[in-house]
Amino acid sequence: MHDTWTVTAALRITRGGRKGFGPGVAQLLDGVRQSGSIRSTAAAMGMSYNKAWHILRACEDELGFALLERRTGGAHGGGARLTEQGQALLEHYEAFAKEAHAALEALLDKHLGGELDGK
């Protein structure tokens, strides 16, 4: 039995050579969207809280707007949730990535499908 050939690509959006947004930030935001926690999202990704925090702040600095609303701990605990702009950016990036990957699969088949299958 032969597996089907597929193509993968990490779709990073840059400006002037600087990282703007990409799959890592999208994964962090999706995790926060689901869990309400930067800490638990970072742990699930095998990343330190400090690294996740640094990645998110650097992205916010580059974009010029907040992706998350953060609540510090205390009697009721802390947490985070996506801002309206953060939610919109994540949804648009997810749609972009889905469409881009579909286009890449079509291009793979068109240009290399026969070659990869030995035809």
Side-chain angles (χ1 to χ4, degrees), residues 88-104:
L89 178 61
L90 180 58
E91 289 173 1
H92 288 287
Y93 177 82
E94 288 170 334
F96 160 74
K98 182 178 180 180
E99 192 171 330
H101 285 294
L104 288 171

Side-chain angles (χ1 to χ4, degrees), residues 35-107:
S35 72
S37 169
I38 299 169
R39 187 173 304 282
S40 67
T41 297
M45 292 174 66
M47 173 186 307
S48 75
Y49 171 79
N50 287 338
K51 182 174 182 178
W53 177 260
H54 174 75
I55 290 168
L56 291 167
R57 299 244 19 221
C59 185
E60 288 177 333
D61 288 346
E62 187 62 38
L63 293 171
F65 59 85
L67 297 169
L68 298 174
E69 294 174 357
R70 300 156 182 94
R71 295 181 314 275
T72 56
H76 303 291
R81 71 183 191 101
L82 275 63
T83 63
E84 202 172 295
Q85 281 183 299
Q87 178 69 30
L89 178 61
L90 180 58
E91 289 173 1
H92 288 287
Y93 177 82
E94 288 170 334
F96 160 74
K98 182 178 180 180
E99 192 171 330
H101 285 294
L104 288 171
E105 290 291 336
L107 289 169

